[in-house]
Amino acid sequence: MNGYTLANQFRKLRASFPFSALEADLFYELVGLCNDRNWPTEFQYSNPLLCATLGVSEKLLISARNRLKQAGLLEFTSGHKRSPTVYRFLDPDAKIPLPQVSKSGSKNDSISDRESGSISGTSINKEKTKRKTKSPAGESEQFPFADFWQAYGKKEDKHKCEQRWNTLTPAERQAALAHIPGYVAATPEKRYRKNPLTYLNGKCWQDEELPTTRSGQPPAPVPAPALLPAPELNEDFLAEQQARAAAEQEAHFAKYAVAA
């Protein structure tokens, strides 16, 4: 097992198990760390160092790490305060085959089976099953409901929202969390923001355009300031100023006049 073998396995797996950019960065960073240690069976590395390297929070790191484990790329033992996490890469030759496209030509069956944990040995259950209300084990840690509830801001029908959230796939949860910040920014007044249950039922993260204003009308133009009336001139004051100017001019020329 080496870096080339793992990278090739990751590339093949992407066709049926889509990864985010963070998950890809984490995988290749772990491959590089293992390579630096001459490919031991397992190696340790702390979460704070990985978070600093990838520029993410520990919560996002744990979520990405669980996705890589779910895909069958690696195993790990979570660390504690004084014990870093232990990582182990799985040998691609010893793993189960990648999910195949079903006879109907759809990849959704195989992907759903892998995510629901129904792959056993070298066989893949291709029968479609109804989605359970509760999330399968492991998926509750991915994009938890608390992330949605905190990001959306409008807190109504929490229990129903959590039940609906648990029926979404990880990809749908990720898409919703990516869409919510822009939607919340476009609807700063919560009373004009959709009920969170309506948002989830309608899968509103698939909308191409965000609302611009509450009424859809452009803001009213600011009126121009009124012009002040011209001041009235005092005729006596004006005559006095003109006489003073004439006197000063006459004195100036008289000072420098040359006697004939």
Side-chain angles (χ1 to χ4, degrees):
M1 182 173 61
N2 53 40
Y4 174 79
T5 303
L6 291 174
N8 191 44
Q9 179 71 4
F10 183 83
R11 181 182 61 82
K12 292 180 179 179
L13 189 59
R14 261 184 164 172
S16 56
F17 202 99
F19 297 100
S20 67
L22 173 58
E23 292 158 3
D25 288 346
L26 174 60
F27 176 77
Y28 286 114
E29 179 64 22
L30 292 174
V31 170
L33 292 171
C34 189
N35 181 67
D36 293 341
R37 292 161 171 74
N38 295 322
W39 296 100
T41 303
E42 58 185 32
F43 64 95
Q44 295 181 335
Y45 208 72
S46 67
N47 287 1
L49 289 177
L50 270 179
C51 290
T53 301
L54 300 176
V56 297
S57 65
E58 187 171 19
K59 187 175 183 179
L60 291 176
L61 172 67
I62 293 174
S63 177
R65 188 172 64 189
N66 287 335
R67 282 274 293 167
L68 296 178
K69 179 179 179 180
Q70 186 183 5
L73 291 169
L74 54 81
E75 292 286 346
F76 62 86
T77 302
S78 299
H80 304 285
K81 292 182 179 179
R82 298 184 179 179
S83 177
T85 302
V86 179
Y87 293 94
R88 297 174 294 276
F89 282 107
L90 301 180
D91 186 353
D93 297 332
K95 293 197 305 89
I96 59 176
L98 297 178
Q100 302 296 324
V101 179
S102 64
K103 294 181 180 180
S104 62
S106 172
K107 295 182 181 179
N108 294 334
D109 295 344
S110 57
I111 295 174
S112 176
D113 289 342
R114 175 177 286 273
E115 292 178 347
S116 63
S118 61
I119 298 179
S120 176
T122 59
S123 63
I124 300 176
N125 181 12
K126 297 182 180 180
E127 297 181 359
K128 295 182 179 179
T129 57
K130 294 183 179 179
R131 184 177 298 171
K132 298 181 180 180
T133 302
K134 296 184 178 180
S135 299
E139 286 189 5
S140 58
E141 299 180 3
Q142 269 184 254
F143 315 116
F145 172 73
D147 290 355
F148 164 79
W149 194 246
Q150 182 65 28
Y152 199 81
K154 189 172 184 178
K155 304 184 184 303
E156 298 181 15
D157 297 326
K158 181 176 181 180
H159 180 67
K160 292 182 180 179
C161 288
E162 185 170 8
Q163 288 182 327
R164 183 68 181 94
W165 180 262
N166 290 336
T167 64
L168 301 178
T169 65
E172 289 174 328
R173 298 182 192 180
Q174 186 177 18
L177 291 176
H179 177 266
I180 286 174
Y183 176 68
V184 170
T187 54
E189 296 187 49
K190 294 181 182 180
R191 55 177 177 165
Y192 299 115
R193 194 178 306 162
K194 293 180 180 179
N195 185 289
L197 184 59
T198 303
Y199 179 89
L200 294 176
N201 286 335
K203 296 186 177 182
C204 298
W205 57 85
Q206 297 177 352
D207 296 345
E208 295 182 359
E209 296 183 0
L210 292 172
T212 53
T213 60
R214 180 191 56 169
S215 61
Q217 299 295 330
V222 178
L227 297 177
L228 297 176
E232 296 181 1
L233 297 178
N234 189 313
E235 295 182 359
D236 294 338
F237 176 76
L238 181 60
E240 181 181 349
Q241 292 297 318
Q242 290 175 346
R244 180 179 298 178
E248 291 177 353
Q249 183 178 11
E250 184 178 354
H252 175 75
F253 286 111
K255 182 178 180 180
Y256 295 100
V258 179

